[in-house]
Amino acid sequence: MRIPFRLLDVFTPRPLAGNQLCVIPERVELETETMQALAREIGFSETTFVNEAGGDRYAMRIFTPGSEIPFAGHPTLGTAFVLVAEGRITSPATQVVAAGEFRVEVDLDERTAWMTQLPAVFGEPLVDRALLADAAGVEPAGLHPDLPSRPVSTGLPFVIVPVRDLDTLRSAGRHGPLVADVCRSTGSEGLYLFAVTEEGITARMFDREEGIGEDPATGSAAGPLAAYLAEHELAGMPDGRVLVRQGEQVDRPSELHVEVGREAGSWRPRVGGGVHVVGGGEFVL
């Protein structure tokens, strides 16, 4: 069996930066265990498998090296970009994944894509700041003194962690077992640390999985962050658009653009960025 795939860099204005993605754009009859094994084989933070595509809709599954997840950011943008570029769907389109339906817009000329995420759901602020600080590798005083750390989901939950300043953010270090403990206790996928800067926001994502560790660009966390910024009126939100920089510490500089609207009493974010197809091939099984 031959299984064609595409390789992409997402959330970057240029190739060979941002977050790497593997897309299997054609429906292939595979067992879940085989999909998981292929995601582990390629070793990127996510690999997507398109189940169906046509008109202005498509459906897919998303796998990290360790598990299947119901939604993710750069897989959404990258998969939509491939399908539009190859004429399999039109833009705007509706993406169907386990977490629900998401509107995606692709601009092939600009090499960009945008997704509208689900309305934000806020969890309770974390009480154990000492555990959170240890998990993030910072002193408790390095957590922002006036802003709460709390889970937020716009399709996938992350603990949004405001830190005191950019120096604190850069000096942070992921303590895997403790990150996993915090994530289990909050039902979250990872910790999304951020600091407000003069240019917007700088962020880092510490994942619960050892296979990912620190993610270079996390659109599914940037959406919750946008809602958090709007809720606390930070970085000029909810008005306008904010640039989130991520990936500096893992040598994959990334740029995520975020904005929010108000819908049904909640914040609904849009997240976008650059997308580049950088290669392709096929698995032979």
Side-chain angles (χ1 to χ4, degrees):
M1 177 185 295
R2 296 181 180 273
I3 305 169
F5 63 81
R6 315 288 186 262
L7 302 179
L8 295 92
D9 293 332
V10 185
F11 288 125
T12 173
R14 60 178 177 83
L16 308 183
N19 207 348
Q20 298 162 288
L21 175 68
C22 179
V23 176
I24 288 81
E26 302 173 15
R27 178 179 175 86
V28 183
E29 295 297 334
L30 296 173
E31 298 291 335
T32 295
E33 293 78 8
T34 304
M35 293 182 184
Q36 184 65 75
L38 290 174
R40 189 164 53 249
E41 179 75 13
I42 202 72
F44 293 168
S45 56
E46 277 100 9
T47 297
T48 64
F49 296 82
V50 176
N51 293 329
E52 57 183 81
D56 62 354
R57 292 177 67 85
Y58 67 100
M60 70 178 189
R61 297 173 68 179
I62 309 167
F63 289 80
T64 73
S67 63
E68 183 173 7
I69 56 176
F71 171 67
H74 85 284
T76 294
L77 299 192
T79 304
F81 191 92
V82 166
L83 295 178
V84 172
E86 297 184 1
R88 299 173 189 269
I89 62 170
T90 58
S91 175
T94 298
Q95 172 185 274
V96 181
V97 289
E101 297 189 355
F102 296 79
R103 176 184 171 90
V104 191
E105 303 155 70
V106 172
D107 189 324
L108 296 178
D109 293 334
E110 295 294 325
R111 295 183 181 178
T112 60
W114 283 81
M115 59 184 156
T116 301
Q117 298 183 358
L118 302 180
V121 177
F122 288 81
E124 292 297 320
L126 273 66
V127 175
D128 194 342
R129 289 171 61 87
L131 173 60
L132 181 61
D134 286 345
V138 301
E139 296 295 326
L143 300 177
H144 198 287
D146 303 318
L147 296 170
S149 297
R150 62 192 307 186
V152 186
S153 176
T154 57
L156 197 66
F158 288 86
V159 179
I160 305 301
V161 184
V163 299
R164 183 178 290 276
D165 53 33
L166 187 56
D167 287 341
T168 301
L169 182 71
R170 286 174 171 163
S171 67
R174 175 181 176 273
H175 290 184
L178 296 182
V179 171
D181 287 344
V182 174
C183 290
R184 278 193 295 269
S185 69
T186 58
S188 301
E189 290 296 315
L191 310 183
Y192 204 51
L193 285 65
F194 78 93
V196 179
T197 71
E198 292 183 358
E199 297 179 334
I201 298 291
T202 300
R204 299 177 68 183
M205 197 283 268
F206 295 161
D207 194 81
R208 66 191 299 166
E209 280 189 17
E210 294 296 338
I212 296 176
E214 179 169 353
D215 198 37
T218 318
S220 53
L225 173 62
Y228 183 102
L229 296 175
E231 187 76 6
H232 294 277
E233 298 184 347
L234 301 170
M237 298 289 265
D239 300 319
R241 182 178 294 174
V242 174
L243 174 64
V244 179
R245 299 183 186 275
Q246 192 181 334
E248 173 185 310
Q249 274 72 22
V250 291
D251 296 323
R252 299 287 302 187
S254 305
E255 297 181 2
L256 304 88
H257 301 271
V258 300
E259 59 189 33
V260 294
R262 194 71 174 167
E263 182 177 311
S266 183
W267 301 109
R268 187 162 195 173
R270 291 181 74 239
V271 180
V275 184
H276 301 269
V277 179
V278 296
E282 59 183 16
F283 294 108
V284 181
L285 301 181

